Amino acid sequence: MQNVGASWLMTILTPSPILVALMQTATSLPVFLVGLPAGAIADVVDRRKLLLVSQSWMLAVAIVLGIVTTLNLMSAGLLLLLTFLLGLGSALNAPAWQAIVPELVGRRLVASAVTLNSMGFNLARAVGPALGGVIVAASGPGAVFLLNAVSYLGVLIVVFLWRRQPTKIIGPPENVLGAIAAGTRYAQHSPSLRAVLMHAAVFIISASALWALLPVVAKHDLGLDAGGYGLLLASLGFGAIIAALMLRRLNEIMSTDQLIMVTTVAFTVAILALGFVHNIVLLVPLLALGGMAWMATMASFNVSAQSAAPDWVRARALGIYLLVFQGGMAASSFTWGAVAEWLGNSEALLLAAILLGLSLITIPRWPLHRLRGLDLTQAEDQGHLELVIMPRPEDGPVLVTIQYDVAQINHVLFVEKMQRVERVRRRTGSHRWGLFEDPTNPDHFVETFLVRSWGEHMRQHTRNTVTDRRIQAEALALQKPGTSPVISHLVSAYPLAMAPINGRENEPVPAPNKAEDTTHK
């Protein structure tokens, strides 16, 4: 209802396709700006408290939006600003909202829970636009905005009454900046998560044209009122509900990659229909087909993003996914509005359909079906160290060396296996990695990796998953029989040299006087 009221109000305030398309940008841009910090915050702080803050923010903005509109003080610029502020609250809310799903149902039921959650959302998308169109026609958009404000009170009550089980923090606590860096590093070195992000980006660049231009086509090409626009949105929502009911069966008979290929073709048909079918009787079922495709695609991406990240980085992974998805939606919506103003609505939608069809070639390049073989359960920490000196969490960097003895016949295979180990080290905390061979003893290999601090290395010990351990075990199995890896942990001497001794700080060693330096070089 909020989306119908805001988009329709913008068409009343201005006929410009760019400004109308910017409504989608104003909704999506906040995720692009704060999606990654929001994911990091959701992994660091209590998610229940974060949800209470974000929902309260959106309640306040919705009240202002409703009052200003009711008093006829709204302008196109102010509507974009308030929509942007509402989007900020949604961006802060989204990673935590999605990350709590496994807490509520367990990882085994995540796919079903995501589908059920999407069904609820799309049921609202089906019913809401029709109701929104009626209320806008009867009482104006301001009434819809105030009703939206009331809805946030319901969410606040539910979240407030939720008694979340306290989570056990293993290892030193993270700060937000460190958590952002760790989440970015994980995404960079996780092939599975990168595949999800690539598919989401490629899909949304073209698919956003339908959402960006739907209000313009409804009002100026089809001559519909707010109720007719709501009907078009409702057809998309009803299609999504049908897809949610069918999704489990579809996942049983098709792989994720096959399903995305089918839904991409179906959404391409819906984009073409919006551009060239001006008979409302024919357009509604074709848009319902688009709603089915959108629902199945979004659920597949969401489940894949959840499945590609372990517990310790889940909210950050979802934040990055939302960053790519909504950031692409924001930028592409503006672009399609500009293209429509330059070429026309139908021509812009034709171009979007062609690009979306061409995106099918990316599916074999970044397959998603491999996610089913991952076991991201936290593995038991095997790093029990007997320390004579206890480094502080901020001390570092930390250099870890691991020595292996590998028979010559296994050298090539060992190096290949260690490339996968490198990705494990990097996504769990290492920022440098190397594998070296001893020329005086060709069977002797040394793995080295650097971690920025002792605290981060301690967290690294807790971040390994069962799949990570399996990858490391495959490399260890190639060692010579009867040998074991020799592991050393080295902490940078300079921070430790400045540590207090007997309650006093060591004084830094002064630099030598160049005039008195007689060292032969």
Side-chain angles (χ1 to χ4, degrees), residues 64-84:
V64 173
L65 187 60
I67 292 175
V68 171
T69 303
T70 302
L71 296 176
N72 294 320
L73 300 176
M74 186 62 71
S75 65
L78 183 57
L79 179 57
L80 286 172
L81 174 62
L82 290 173
T83 302
F84 175 80

Side-chain angles (χ1 to χ4, degrees), residues 45 60 62 90 165 197 216 273 295 310 318 327 344 379:
V45 305
S90 180
Q165 294 295 324
L197 299 178
V216 182
M295 164 65 197
L318 289 168

Side-chain angles (χ1 to χ4, degrees), residues 187-244:
Q188 182 181 356
H189 298 287
S190 171
S192 301
L193 183 56
R194 286 206 316 270
V196 178
L197 299 178
M198 184 58 65
H199 281 300
V202 169
F203 180 83
I204 202 60
I205 285 172
S206 303
S208 60
L210 184 145
W211 301 104
L213 299 179
L214 183 62
V216 182
V217 172
K219 183 173 179 63
H220 300 294
D221 292 358
L222 301 178
L224 301 176
D225 58 9
Y229 173 54
L231 175 62
L232 297 184
L233 278 177
S235 64
L236 287 161
F238 278 118
I241 294 172
I242 295 172

Side-chain angles (χ1 to χ4, degrees), residues 210-296:
L210 184 145
W211 301 104
L213 299 179
L214 183 62
V216 182
V217 172
K219 183 173 179 63
H220 300 294
D221 292 358
L222 301 178
L224 301 176
D225 58 9
Y229 173 54
L231 175 62
L232 297 184
L233 278 177
S235 64
L236 287 161
F238 278 118
I241 294 172
I242 295 172
L245 295 172
M246 298 171 55
L247 193 56
R248 182 176 179 180
R249 178 59 180 161
L250 291 174
N251 285 324
E252 291 175 352
I253 62 177
M254 288 188 285
S255 69
T256 304
D257 301 309
Q258 292 171 334
L259 180 60
I260 290 176
M261 291 183 69
V262 172
T263 57
T264 298
V265 172
F267 203 79
T268 301
V269 171
I271 292 176
L272 290 172
L274 181 63
F276 297 96
V277 176
H278 293 164
N279 185 324
I280 195 72
V281 177
L282 296 176
L283 182 58
V284 165
L286 290 172
L287 288 182
L289 176 66
M292 294 175 64
W294 179 267
M295 164 65 197

Side-chain angles (χ1 to χ4, degrees), residues 187-468:
Q188 182 181 356
H189 298 287
S190 171
S192 301
L193 183 56
R194 286 206 316 270
V196 178
L197 299 178
M198 184 58 65
H199 281 300
V202 169
F203 180 83
I204 202 60
I205 285 172
S206 303
S208 60
L210 184 145
W211 301 104
L213 299 179
L214 183 62
V216 182
V217 172
K219 183 173 179 63
H220 300 294
D221 292 358
L222 301 178
L224 301 176
D225 58 9
Y229 173 54
L231 175 62
L232 297 184
L233 278 177
S235 64
L236 287 161
F238 278 118
I241 294 172
I242 295 172
L245 295 172
M246 298 171 55
L247 193 56
R248 182 176 179 180
R249 178 59 180 161
L250 291 174
N251 285 324
E252 291 175 352
I253 62 177
M254 288 188 285
S255 69
T256 304
D257 301 309
Q258 292 171 334
L259 180 60
I260 290 176
M261 291 183 69
V262 172
T263 57
T264 298
V265 172
F267 203 79
T268 301
V269 171
I271 292 176
L272 290 172
L274 181 63
F276 297 96
V277 176
H278 293 164
N279 185 324
I280 195 72
V281 177
L282 296 176
L283 182 58
V284 165
L286 290 172
L287 288 182
L289 176 66
M292 294 175 64
W294 179 267
M295 164 65 197
T297 306
M298 294 303 99
S300 298
F301 287 163
N302 196 300
V303 172
S304 297
Q306 295 259 14
S307 303
D311 293 343
W312 68 269
V313 75
R314 186 188 304 120
R316 278 165 279 188
L318 289 168
I320 295 171
Y321 163 71
L322 292 171
L323 170 68
V324 170
F325 187 86
Q326 297 290 358
M329 178 79 83
S332 300
S333 295
F334 172 78
T335 302
W336 290 119
V339 171
E341 193 160 272
W342 177 40
L343 297 177
N345 295 331
S346 297
E347 290 77 6
L349 289 166
L350 174 61
L351 180 59
I354 293 172
L355 292 177
L356 187 58
L358 292 175
S359 71
L360 291 170
I361 64 176
T362 65
I363 294 176
R365 176 65 180 82
W366 293 286
L368 295 177
H369 65 271
R370 296 176 183 172
L371 287 168
R372 295 185 178 181
L374 298 179
D375 185 349
L376 300 183
T377 307
Q378 181 180 344
E380 181 181 354
D381 183 11
Q382 299 175 347
H384 302 292
L385 303 177
E386 295 183 3
L387 303 175
V388 177
I389 299 175
M390 176 58 71
R392 297 168 298 187
E394 65 271 18
D395 286 342
V398 178
L399 171 64
V400 180
T401 66
I402 307 177
Q403 303 178 49
Y404 307 91
D405 288 305
V406 181
Q408 186 172 4
I409 192 175
N410 291 325
H411 281 192
V412 174
L413 184 57
F414 177 75
V415 172
E416 291 177 358
K417 296 291 185 183
M418 290 301 291
Q419 290 177 340
R420 298 185 67 197
V421 172
E422 175 189 1
R423 288 197 290 267
V424 172
R425 306 291 191 210
R426 288 184 179 275
R427 65 175 170 252
T428 55
S430 304
H431 68 279
R432 290 187 184 180
W433 183 91
L435 182 66
F436 301 89
E437 187 176 7
D438 186 350
T440 65
N441 181 8
D443 290 348
H444 189 64
F445 290 83
V446 179
E447 177 194 5
T448 67
F449 56 91
L450 271 176
V451 188
R452 295 194 182 278
S453 69
W454 182 257
E456 183 69 2
H457 182 56
M458 290 297 96
R459 287 187 286 270
Q460 185 179 33
H461 276 275
T462 68
R463 290 171 176 171
N464 282 286
T465 65
V466 172
T467 294
D468 294 337

